[in-house]
Amino acid sequence: MGGMEEDMETKNFTRSVLAWYDEGHRNLPWRLTRDPYRIWISEIMLQQTRAETVVSYYERFLARYPTVQALADAPQEELLKAWEGLGYYSRARSLQKAAKIIVRDYGGELPADAAQLRALPGIGDYTAGAIAAIAFGLPEAAVDGNVERVLCRYDAVTEEVGSPAMRRRIAERAKSLVPLDRPGAFANAMMEMGARMCTPKSPACLICPVRESCKGFAQGIATELPNKPKKKAPRVERRAVLLVFARGRVLVVRRTERMLGGLYVFPDVLLSGETAQGDAAALCARMEEMGVPTAYDARLGEARHVFTHVVWEMEIHALAAEECPDVEGGQWVTGEELEALPLPTAVKAARRMAMERLNG
Ligand code: SF4
């Protein structure tokens, strides 16, 4: 395709997508603002959580932390609590790290520059592009999985995606499509295209605004694209989760591991091979190691949680202790206190069982 033709085609694509977006789109709260702080928060929340879920957290979070300064000053535990339910807590920690840098280096205002945004914790190419385009009107593209899918299909890109070279190529293509007068609307329009029109499994090609020039559609290969490398199945970890009760309290410990770091969980035992079923003696021995003598009480149930790379298959057991001895990184909490602590979604079922016992 010659340069002129390509220019025309690019303009057509951009114009068609914007016209479609202008006709009507989901009225998400963060689409009603150009406040960089609010756009930033919404983009971070949207990174791994569905828009419908984010809606209910977004306003509450901003009411609590209305400014970069407020976010920078928030006690970490309270912040993690406010993030509870959104999952992927490392996002909340990065958010606060970035807020502190913005206060220190930029007087509390997000920098109007994609490269400077990109240098902040938790902000990758996509988020930097989205904030730059939407909040600051800069001619940047925001390429996430949705946009990648639309472009790979539109251009019938059959090569495997995921490599840095491919990522660069798609980012350049996306940038070439950005209209100088409306980069923010275009970024939103592209995300909307990916979410509502060019969906992963059943793209609505027949009503798509760019169908006439979409090569993936013309070649009948749209649903096969993008060509993604096969994902490895997540590893399965079997865990016995121990609810240790004493004097109307239950024991929680603060995780120090990178995954879910800073959150509270119940003590647990990784089960393997011979101990694939948590046997009572082994579970009590584990608590003994932590300095808490216990007697086995009952098996309360099971739960399962799927993270990105690992699945926790949990069996939940109740143990009884007589005293509440000091445990390193641990706390004995009442039902009310348990409710107020930040716990990961993964142990939601265990928490519910603990609450039932404490309140019942
Ligand atoms: Fe996606 Fe189909 Fe539209 Fe092409 S025509 S961009 S494959 S929805």
Side-chain angles (χ1 to χ4, degrees):
M1 195 187 286
M4 278 276 281
E5 231 176 296
E6 200 165 335
D7 268 6
M8 276 295 290
E9 189 256 61
T10 295
K11 285 208 182 85
N12 277 338
F13 177 93
T14 305
R15 207 179 306 128
S16 305
V17 168
L18 275 174
W20 168 77
Y21 181 71
D22 289 340
E23 260 168 40
H25 48 79
R26 293 178 298 175
N27 246 337
L28 300 165
W30 45 89
R31 297 250 172 90
L32 307 172
T33 179
R34 288 190 64 177
D35 174 9
Y37 174 63
R38 294 184 154 245
I39 303 282
W40 173 40
I41 298 296
S42 71
E43 289 301 336
I44 299 293
M45 288 185 171
L46 287 165
Q47 275 173 9
Q48 275 127 333
T49 311
R50 288 165 53 83
E52 288 68 24
T53 312
V54 169
V55 170
S56 65
Y57 285 91
Y58 172 76
E59 291 294 352
R60 231 182 313 147
F61 189 89
L62 284 165
R64 193 146 176 192
Y65 307 116
T67 59
V68 176
Q69 182 78 54
L71 178 60
D73 293 343
Q76 196 193 56
E77 205 164 302
E78 185 199 291
L79 178 66
L80 292 175
K81 182 71 192 167
W83 199 265
E84 198 180 72
L86 284 166
Y88 300 92
Y89 290 87
S90 59
R91 289 184 293 171
R93 284 191 296 268
S94 299
L95 206 54
Q96 188 169 46
K97 266 192 223 150
K100 288 185 172 157
I101 296 172
I102 295 167
V103 167
R104 189 190 67 202
D105 297 351
Y106 301 106
E109 305 281 347
L110 273 80
D113 177 271
Q116 285 176 336
L117 289 164
R118 176 74 180 82
L120 292 167
I123 298 190
D125 290 331
Y126 163 77
T127 308
I131 300 171
I134 300 169
F136 297 112
L138 297 169
E140 300 284 347
V143 184
D144 67 350
N146 280 314
V147 173
E148 177 187 81
R149 182 171 62 252
V150 176
L151 294 180
C152 283
R153 287 174 176 175
Y154 185 75
D155 290 340
V157 175
T158 51
E159 291 103 312
E160 202 169 85
V161 295
S163 68
M166 273 308 277
R167 216 168 295 142
R168 229 177 359 256
R169 178 172 144 194
I170 295 169
E172 273 162 25
R173 172 66 165 146
K175 204 162 170 175
S176 78
L177 296 166
V178 176
L180 295 180
D181 55 341
R182 300 183 66 197
F186 186 67
N188 276 323
M190 284 299 281
M191 291 178 219
E192 192 83 357
M193 272 287 287
R196 282 185 36 221
M197 188 64 60
C198 200
T199 57
K201 292 216 175 74
S202 45
C205 300
L206 294 180
I207 54 165
C208 175
V210 297
R211 186 194 67 208
E212 282 184 11
S213 44
C214 176
K215 296 203 185 75
F217 173 73
Q219 296 174 23
I221 54 172
T223 49
E224 290 156 40
L225 302 175
N227 176 3
K228 285 200 184 159
K230 291 259 172 302
K231 262 201 218 145
K232 271 201 272 160
R235 176 179 86 242
V236 175
E237 276 183 13
R238 292 203 40 91
R239 286 169 181 268
V241 177
L242 311 181
L243 304 181
V244 184
F245 298 95
R247 300 175 180 253
R249 293 168 179 270
V250 70
L251 178 63
V252 290
V253 286
R254 196 148 191 248
R255 267 179 79 91
T256 48
E257 292 91 334
R258 206 169 69 88
M259 188 168 117
L260 308 181
L263 296 175
Y264 286 88
V265 292
F266 302 101
D268 62 6
V269 181
L270 199 54
L271 304 172
S272 64
E274 299 109 61
T275 48
Q277 287 282 326
D279 78 278
L283 303 184
C284 292
R286 163 78 178 127
M287 292 317 302
E288 189 81 46
E289 265 169 42
M290 290 174 72
V292 188
T294 51
Y296 185 78
D297 182 358
R299 180 182 170 118
L300 300 181
E302 291 179 358
R304 190 166 191 273
H305 188 80
V306 182
F307 296 95
T308 315
H309 303 293
V310 59
V311 179
W312 280 4
E313 280 180 1
M314 294 164 277
E315 37 184 81
I316 299 154
H317 298 269
L319 275 62
E322 296 206 345
E323 309 286 337
C324 301
D326 281 348
V327 172
E328 202 190 321
Q331 265 186 54
W332 293 90
V333 294
T334 61
E336 208 175 303
E337 288 162 346
L338 180 60
E339 194 153 22
L341 282 179
L343 264 69
T345 311
V347 298
K348 207 166 82 182
R351 159 145 77 180
R352 186 172 32 79
M353 292 176 198
M355 301 283 297
E356 274 166 17
R357 280 225 163 182
L358 291 169
N359 298 334

